[in-house]
Amino acid sequence: MIILGIETSCDETAVSLIKKTSDNVEVLSNAVSSQVELHAAWGGVVPNLAAREHLKNILPVLEESLSEAQLTKDDVDLISVTQGPGLIPALLVGTNFAKTLSYLWKKPLIGIHHIEGHIYANFIGRSDINFPVLALVVSGGHTQLVLMRDHLNYEVVGETQDDAVGEAFDKVARTLDLGYPGGPIVSQKAEEFKSSQTSNPESQISLPRPMLNSPNFNFSFSGLKTAVLYKVKELKKSLSADEFQRLIPEICHEFQQACIDVLIHKTLKATKKYSPKSIVIAGGVSANTELKKQLEESVYEKFPEITYSNPDFTYSLDNAAMIASAASFRWGKMTEEQKAEATTNWKTLQANAGLSMN
Ligand code: KG4
Ligand code: ZN
């Protein structure tokens, strides 16, 4: 079946078409219009500006997606849209657009949880992920360990007690005047430090690994972010501006490694307890090359029998293929009655900024 996905929860306007067969999710088109440059000027996403851009871009992005896939509306079997969580003005554009298409095209409509979408990015193009699955969710708004005993079944076994890890990358980037979004630039600086070192990079700057040894699977990144702030204040007092600039890659490297250390430690600890068959990573921070590399190495070293998966880079960041992928599995589990109800969902589906999974 052919599924249309729509995603507008934050600062990407995205429309995708996927083809679902019994054992595969194939992406036919993945159109994304990013607003990153617009929001960078404000140091973060401005919800009303995001909504205005989504309104401007959503039809051209739909057209692009259909033409890239060489399909028409008649080929579409199901429409799916991010229902939440996210910025309400932004979510409203996508959900109302999806409702209108469902009404006009007479196609069923289902709402998808944004994080569920991120997790299902792992099912694009691969069929070797087996349950139970342990998902490490790392995005701008979420940091969670989610145990899935089956498709669409989520138990949060650990989560951040304060900031999400992506949020910490963004705040550290702000502290270091590196711009928005912080993840890509902080990881690039960390890589610069690593490649400038001849052997194993030994950091002169040391930061805490919060909650590393706490007796649960929870995280905390707010204290780490503050530790960077204090370290920067201290360094700026004793160093010239040039000397401080030269230390930025090293600070980024140590900060990134502190995040990676706790994320991997807690994932392995949860793996010991829950014995998953597969471990997946999901969310914007899963675009981080060093995190993916170290997690994969650690999993295969400690649990060689477990399948590890991360989404392709394109599907790590916000996109609509992941929303359509999740929708394809939801549809597969729905009864005939639920499928029939989905044809009138355009009357009732509501964007929900605080939507919870399940
Ligand atoms: O999933 P996402 O696109 O949006 C949410 O659902 O929140 O995640 C965005 C977050 C931002 O905080 C961004 O800084 C972070 O993902 N991010 C990264 C990288 N690329 C994006 N963090 C670390 N390393 C990266 N390469
Ligand atoms: Zn996201």
Side-chain angles (χ1 to χ4, degrees), residues 66-82:
L66 284 167
S67 104
E68 193 187 319
Q70 298 189 322
L71 296 176
T72 72
K73 66 178 176 52
D74 299 332
D75 300 307
V76 175
D77 298 303
L78 171 66
I79 297 170
S80 58
V81 64
T82 305

Side-chain angles (χ1 to χ4, degrees), residues 114 118 139-141 166-167 169-170 181-184 187 283-285 287-288 316-318:
H114 181 77
H118 273 302
S139 74
E167 193 181 346
F169 269 85
D170 294 335
S187 65
V285 185
N288 188 289
S316 276
L317 304 174
D318 285 350

Side-chain angles (χ1 to χ4, degrees), residues 192-193 239-251:
E192 268 172 37
F193 176 72
L239 298 176
S240 70
D242 280 354
E243 284 168 333
F244 176 73
Q245 283 301 316
R246 279 196 291 277
L247 272 183
I248 286 181
E250 189 170 349
I251 300 169

Side-chain angles (χ1 to χ4, degrees), residues 120-132:
Y120 275 88
N122 283 282
F123 289 80
I124 294 172
R126 64 186 295 170
S127 50
D128 59 344
I129 298 171
N130 297 308
F131 294 94

Side-chain angles (χ1 to χ4, degrees), residues 9-12 114-115 118 138-142 165-170 180-185 187 256 283-289 313 316-318 322:
S9 68
C10 192
D11 57 351
E12 324 280 354
H114 181 77
I115 295 301
H118 273 302
V138 279
S139 74
H142 291 73
V165 62
E167 193 181 346
F169 269 85
D170 294 335
Y180 178 87
I185 180 79
S187 65
Q256 177 174 281
V285 185
S286 75
N288 188 289
T289 312
F313 179 78
S316 276
L317 304 174
D318 285 350
M322 67 184 197

Side-chain angles (χ1 to χ4, degrees), residues 164-185:
V165 62
E167 193 181 346
F169 269 85
D170 294 335
K171 286 177 177 168
V172 163
R174 199 175 305 162
T175 300
L176 297 171
D177 285 326
L178 294 176
Y180 178 87
I185 180 79

